[in-house]
Amino acid sequence: MSELNNDTLLRSLLREPVDYTPVWMMRQAGRYLPEYRETRAQAGSFMDLCRNPELACEVTIQPLERFPLDAAILFSDILTIPDAMGLGLYFAEGEGPHFEHPVRSEADVERVHVPDPEDELGYVMDAVRVIRRELAGRVPLIGFSGSPWTLATYMIEGGTTKHFALSKAMMFDRPDLMHALLGKVADAVTQYLNAQIAAGAQVAMVFDTWGGVLTPGDYREFSLRYLERIVEGLTREADGRRVPVVLFSKGAGQWLDRMAETGCDALGVDWTTDLSDARRLVQDKVALQGNLDPCTLYASPARIEREVGRVLASYGAGNGHVFNLGHGIHPDTNPDHAAAMVEAVHTLSRPYHAT
Ligand code: 1CP
């Protein structure tokens, strides 16, 4: 494998010294970029794009051609695992994801199988290999998966949900069934991420988008426990370098200390928690990734620069900060405003790393 020319992201995730704060954006490849919309139209459906390694590679690299980002993230989706489990994923135009066969009964849970990643999700591993080749060491490639809890909500509800009616009802009334499902999904996630690492992913990130809808006790029992199991099962070294593991539970500001005890290297933080408070909570045990409110990018470039300065100051001096949005970039964001953010991070962060 080729040498890594920019390892700032890996160094910051491991709390090693860097010259400036590295930056990337959640959902950095996506609909806010006209070139993404063009490739997407050429591919057909969203899943056709995910299943085509060359086109998935093209859209992964598009944001790097526009902005001097410090990382690439595999273009795929968290719902590839339930799709490979046979749930029948589809995206209706202008709507979110749907499953033809949601998981609601004991028989449904029994039918769920743990997919073989190279076999049933081979298109994802092929995309990782093509992207690594095309990146040629420019920046590291982040691989990712959804968390068991977040994936289970989609699998049970059959799509996006407001109140988590069916998934929470199962959690309350049939915790045994919920645990049986979460256990299978956790095994699938572990094998899937390990296959991505074997194919060339240099960071593994777990998106627990819906962890924050749980009470603290339910979060520990139904989300954190499985995140911990995944961290324990992951390959932590490839190409002679440590593969950092990043956990992101949205809305988890109150229990970042517990998350820091899982053995992960870094935590994603959304914009509702101040990074200075987050840093105090985790006591410098892990690196932090975040946390500009994605809506900041609706403001003027001058205002964006000020807010970037505020986020950098809230983390303060020292190693272990990766700049990011607190959640995915919105599809109606002006790309020039994303450019202003990236430039401000690179310029304004240098004094925080001066020795
Ligand atoms: O082209 C389109 O219209 C499809 C929109 C789209 C895109 C661009 C979807 C459908 N997924 C993606 C790509 C995607 N999804 C990436 C690509 C890499 C990058 O960041 O550039 C990633 C990391 C994801 C992860 C993902 N998918 C999450 C976790 C992160 C988060 O944003 O919270 C979740 C919850 C999903 C489910 C999903 N897939 C797509 C949509 C619109 C959704 C959200 C549905 C919902 O709100 O419930």
Side-chain angles (χ1 to χ4, degrees):
M1 287 277 185
S2 48
E3 275 298 301
L4 196 49
N5 299 323
N6 173 356
D7 67 354
T8 325
L9 175 88
L10 298 187
R11 299 183 65 83
S12 279
L13 288 174
L14 299 173
R15 291 172 296 128
E16 293 170 5
V18 286
D19 295 332
Y20 63 88
T21 303
V23 53
W24 66 280
M25 294 181 288
M26 283 193 265
R27 296 284 183 102
Q28 64 190 24
R31 278 177 295 174
Y32 76 108
L33 293 177
E35 56 271 34
Y36 168 84
R37 295 197 297 268
E38 209 167 285
T39 311
R40 161 94 155 71
Q42 193 189 321
S45 74
F46 169 69
M47 281 311 288
D48 289 339
L49 178 53
C50 293
R51 288 201 180 95
N52 183 322
E54 275 72 34
L55 293 184
C57 174
E58 188 178 303
V59 294
T60 298
I61 291 178
Q62 282 170 352
L64 303 175
E65 301 290 351
R66 267 195 191 248
F67 322 116
L69 295 159
D70 297 290
I73 178 161
L74 162 70
F75 188 84
S76 187
D77 198 75
I78 63 166
L79 301 174
T80 52
I81 287 183
D83 184 49
M85 287 170 161
L87 273 62
L89 173 66
Y90 67 96
F91 287 85
E93 209 45 59
E95 286 177 44
H98 296 280
F99 287 113
E100 278 169 54
H101 313 290
V103 176
R104 300 199 175 143
S105 66
E106 196 154 344
D108 293 339
V109 173
E110 264 165 34
R111 262 198 303 274
V112 166
H113 75 285
V114 175
D116 178 315
E118 273 296 346
D119 183 19
E120 297 169 271
L121 289 155
Y123 65 92
V124 177
M125 308 313 148
D126 288 341
V128 170
R129 284 183 279 265
V130 174
I131 297 164
R132 269 303 296 277
R133 190 187 69 214
E134 293 302 313
L135 279 175
R138 221 158 124 180
V139 290
L141 175 64
I142 303 168
F144 71 91
S145 170
S147 74
W149 164 255
T150 292
L151 290 177
T153 66
Y154 285 100
M155 293 168 74
I156 297 164
E157 307 288 342
T160 304
T161 173
K162 252 204 175 121
H163 301 299
F164 302 86
L166 299 167
S167 32
K168 285 204 178 179
M170 188 193 284
M171 176 184 87
F172 288 123
D173 289 333
R174 290 294 310 272
D176 58 317
L177 209 52
M178 184 56 104
H179 281 300
L181 178 60
L182 291 169
K184 285 189 181 186
V185 179
D187 288 347
V189 168
T190 307
Q191 293 179 27
Y192 182 59
L193 285 173
N194 279 337
Q196 289 185 33
I197 293 165
Q202 291 148 298
V203 175
M205 175 151 173
V206 184
F207 289 98
D208 184 29
T209 306
W210 305 124
V213 305
L214 294 167
T215 64
D218 290 334
Y219 175 78
R220 287 198 295 276
E221 181 175 347
F222 295 97
S223 186
L224 187 64
R225 191 203 279 193
Y226 295 94
L227 291 173
E228 199 171 350
R229 222 165 99 177
I230 291 163
V231 174
E232 275 167 14
L234 290 181
T235 313
R236 301 299 276 274
E237 210 185 288
D239 288 347
R241 279 194 94 129
R242 186 168 170 90
V243 177
V245 175
V246 187
L247 301 182
F248 173 58
S249 287
K250 186 162 172 280
Q254 297 182 69
W255 53 67
L256 292 168
D257 48 349
R258 299 242 184 199
M259 295 178 74
E261 283 160 16
T262 54
C264 68
D265 298 284
L267 295 176
V269 183
D270 71 28
W271 67 94
T272 63
T273 298
D274 209 73
L275 286 184
S276 58
D277 294 329
R279 204 173 171 184
R280 244 192 322 275
L281 262 180
V282 305
Q283 298 180 336
D284 277 321
K285 268 192 210 141
V286 293
L288 296 177
Q289 180 173 275
N291 72 344
L292 188 76
D293 177 351
C295 291
T296 310
L297 300 185
Y298 294 134
S300 61
R303 183 61 206 247
I304 292 167
E305 196 179 309
R306 255 167 59 204
E307 289 298 307
V308 166
R310 188 190 54 73
V311 170
L312 289 168
S314 75
Y315 188 85
N319 307 318
H321 182 206
V322 172
F323 200 99
N324 205 316
L325 299 171
H327 198 202
I329 188 167
H330 294 303
D332 56 351
T333 301
N334 178 345
D336 294 340
H337 289 201
M341 182 200 87
V342 173
E343 194 192 332
V345 175
H346 282 163
T347 313
L348 300 178
S349 65
R350 288 192 178 262
Y352 291 100
H353 301 283
T355 43

